[in-house]
């Protein structure tokens, strides 16, 4: 069985006293989720997540310490994929999508993001991130 690993971020910002999440729509699978991708050479998980956020959205983000979530799924019968997610903050709302990987983006409140996100595992990550931000950051 082949193993793949990606690292990504659930990016948030606060605007007009509203907590907003950035979700992106993937070009190839047409699903809504978060910026993520594979490590380059000896890159650590956080560096990969920050780089992928920048490449896919043009945002410079800061990882929030204290939260890390790993999900595992099977995109094909012979592939196991692990994705490590971090919470990241951005002060900037201006997104520049990487058009060969991302077709669309939205800054939205929790309920809208939750409804748009395609996969249950990504919905669970958003739920946990939202609870973490509400309890430990805001």
């Amino acid at each position: 069985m082949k193993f793949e690993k990606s690292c990504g971020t659930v990016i948030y910002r606060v605007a007009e006293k509203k907590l907003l999440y950035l979700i992106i729509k993937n070009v190839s699978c047409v699903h809504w989720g978060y910026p993520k991708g594979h490590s380059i050479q000896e890159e650590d998980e956080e560096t990969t997540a920050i780089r992928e956020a920048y490449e896919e959205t043009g945002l410079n983000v800061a990882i929030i310490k204290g939260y890390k979530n790993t999900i595992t799924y099977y995109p094909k019968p012979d592939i196991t994929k692990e994705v490590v997610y971090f919470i990241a903050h951005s002060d900037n709302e201006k997104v520049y999508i990487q058009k060969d990987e991302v077709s669309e983006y939205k800054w939205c409140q929790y309920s809208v993001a939750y409804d748009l996100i395609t996969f249950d595992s990504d919905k669970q990550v958003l739920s946990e991130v939202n609870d973490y931000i509400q309890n430990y950051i805001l």
Side-chain angles (χ1 to χ4, degrees):
M1 182 170 282
K2 185 179 173 187
F3 177 78
E4 295 180 0
K5 181 177 180 180
S6 292
C7 300
T9 52
V10 179
I11 302 170
Y12 80 94
R13 69 185 179 90
V14 177
E16 299 174 9
K17 298 183 180 179
K18 293 179 184 170
L19 177 59
L20 302 174
Y21 294 98
L22 179 67
I23 58 171
I24 60 173
K25 190 174 191 183
N26 185 289
V27 168
S28 62
C29 322
V30 201
H31 72 269
W32 287 94
Y34 318 106
K36 68 179 184 293
H38 297 93
S39 298
I40 296 174
Q41 296 170 342
E42 298 300 318
E43 210 172 43
D44 66 33
E45 293 172 340
E46 287 187 13
T47 303
T48 299
I50 290 167
R51 178 183 51 75
E52 285 292 335
Y54 182 76
E55 287 179 1
E56 294 184 6
T57 69
L59 293 173
N60 288 306
V61 299
I63 298 286
I64 304 299
K65 301 294 183 189
Y67 177 89
K68 177 180 172 181
N69 187 347
T70 302
I71 62 168
T72 303
Y73 63 98
Y74 308 91
K76 295 181 181 175
D78 60 337
I79 297 175
T80 299
K81 183 153 186 172
E82 181 180 274
V83 183
V84 178
Y85 283 112
F86 299 94
I87 298 173
H89 178 262
S90 176
D91 287 324
N92 194 349
E93 71 177 286
K94 199 160 199 145
V95 173
Y96 299 97
I97 59 172
Q98 183 181 30
K99 294 184 180 182
D100 59 335
E101 290 192 36
V102 179
S103 64
E104 203 175 332
Y105 75 92
K106 291 181 187 289
W107 282 108
C108 44
Q109 290 181 285
Y110 172 79
S111 61
V112 174
Y114 189 90
D115 288 344
L116 284 171
I117 290 171
T118 308
F119 298 114
D120 288 341
S121 57
D122 288 345
K123 288 177 185 276
Q124 181 63 37
V125 168
L126 181 64
S127 179
E128 291 176 11
V129 165
N130 190 65
D131 288 347
Y132 189 91
I133 291 171
Q134 298 288 346
N135 291 320
Y136 300 106
I137 298 172
L138 298 181

